[in-house]
Amino acid sequence: MKENTRRILSVREMTTIAILAAIAAILFMIEIPVVLFYKLDLSTLPVLLGAFAMGPWQGTLILLVKSALGLFHSTSQGVGELADFIMGFAMIFPAALVYQKMKKRKGAIIGMILGTVVATVAAVLSNLYIMIPFYSTAYGMPIEAIIGMGQELIPAVNSELKFVMLITAPFNILKWVVISIVTGLIYKPLSPLLHGAMKR
């Protein structure tokens, strides 16, 4: 009986993961232009909800499936999906880990603040060493031209490092704060549904 129960729970958990990953993949295609070539999307929202409901490793699996689905319509040969996975993981894993240890509103807030900081650092490094070099090569755009675009927006931007510190970092802080706020608003109402999908 116990083995059958575990099997049913496992199947239901995987079903929840698949549904959240599918929703995340759809949201990944809906982007709102914010600054230069940076666009805001809420695709990590279902991932974070799943990570809070089930745990950091399950959240990572949702993120992985979302990124894999994104490869079917990738315009960056998978490089963008790789960077998105790195940044998403940097957000959801520490956030869910803290919440798992402190399952209260305070734990969720602390976790999302920590996740925002870690994800912003990951975004700076990913853009500096992966995204900017890739797009510079793929689109034949000298890095100096990219820096110039940033300099038109913020005169102090005169190097790759300043570009990611003054443009990439603030954009990502905005992105993760928005996702954190929305998560905070809808997690509690959706929590019975998310947990019910696994416990029934």
Side-chain angles (χ1 to χ4, degrees):
M1 179 67 74
K2 288 184 178 180
E3 289 182 4
N4 290 334
T5 302
R6 288 196 191 104
R7 195 175 298 123
I8 291 171
L9 289 173
S10 178
V11 170
R12 289 190 181 279
E13 188 173 52
M14 290 303 295
T15 300
T16 303
I17 288 171
I19 291 171
L20 290 175
I23 294 172
I26 292 171
L27 291 175
F28 196 32
M29 295 185 286
I30 303 173
E31 300 175 317
I32 303 171
V34 176
V35 58
L36 298 181
F37 41 77
Y38 291 114
K39 300 175 182 179
L40 176 66
D41 71 82
L42 299 179
S43 63
T44 312
L45 177 59
V47 182
L48 187 55
L49 290 171
F52 275 170
M54 294 180 283
W57 291 110
Q58 290 89 336
T60 301
L61 183 55
I62 297 170
L63 181 64
L64 184 61
V65 175
K66 182 204 89 167
S67 298
L69 291 173
L71 293 174
F72 289 103
H73 55 83
S74 176
T75 58
S76 61
Q77 301 172 33
V79 175
E81 285 69 29
L82 172 62
D84 179 76
F85 177 84
I86 292 171
M87 293 181 279
F89 178 79
M91 172 63 182
I92 65 104
F93 199 87
L97 201 60
V98 171
Y99 183 66
Q100 194 175 51
K101 302 294 183 183
M102 193 189 307
K103 288 210 167 185
K104 296 180 180 179
R105 186 176 183 82
K106 182 180 179 181
I109 292 173
I110 292 174
M112 289 188 289
I113 290 174
L114 176 62
T116 295
V117 172
V118 177
T120 299
V121 172
V124 165
L125 295 176
S126 295
N127 275 264
L128 191 60
Y129 296 110
I130 300 175
M131 297 305 295
I132 291 178
F134 170 77
Y135 281 111
S136 175
T137 302
Y139 295 100
M141 180 182 293
I143 290 179
E144 290 74 17
I146 296 175
I147 294 172
M149 291 168 60
Q151 198 166 41
E152 288 182 11
L153 188 66
I154 301 176
V157 174
N158 56 15
S159 66
E160 284 183 77
L161 181 60
K162 286 188 177 181
F163 184 97
V164 295
M165 292 301 295
L166 298 178
I167 297 178
T168 304
F171 166 76
N172 276 272
I173 291 172
L174 171 65
K175 173 182 176 178
W176 298 120
V177 166
V178 168
I179 289 175
S180 295
I181 290 173
V182 177
T183 299
L185 291 174
I186 69 175
Y187 178 70
K188 189 173 181 179
L190 291 179
S191 185
L193 181 63
L194 291 169
H195 288 92
M198 295 180 288
K199 291 180 179 180
R200 289 177 187 175

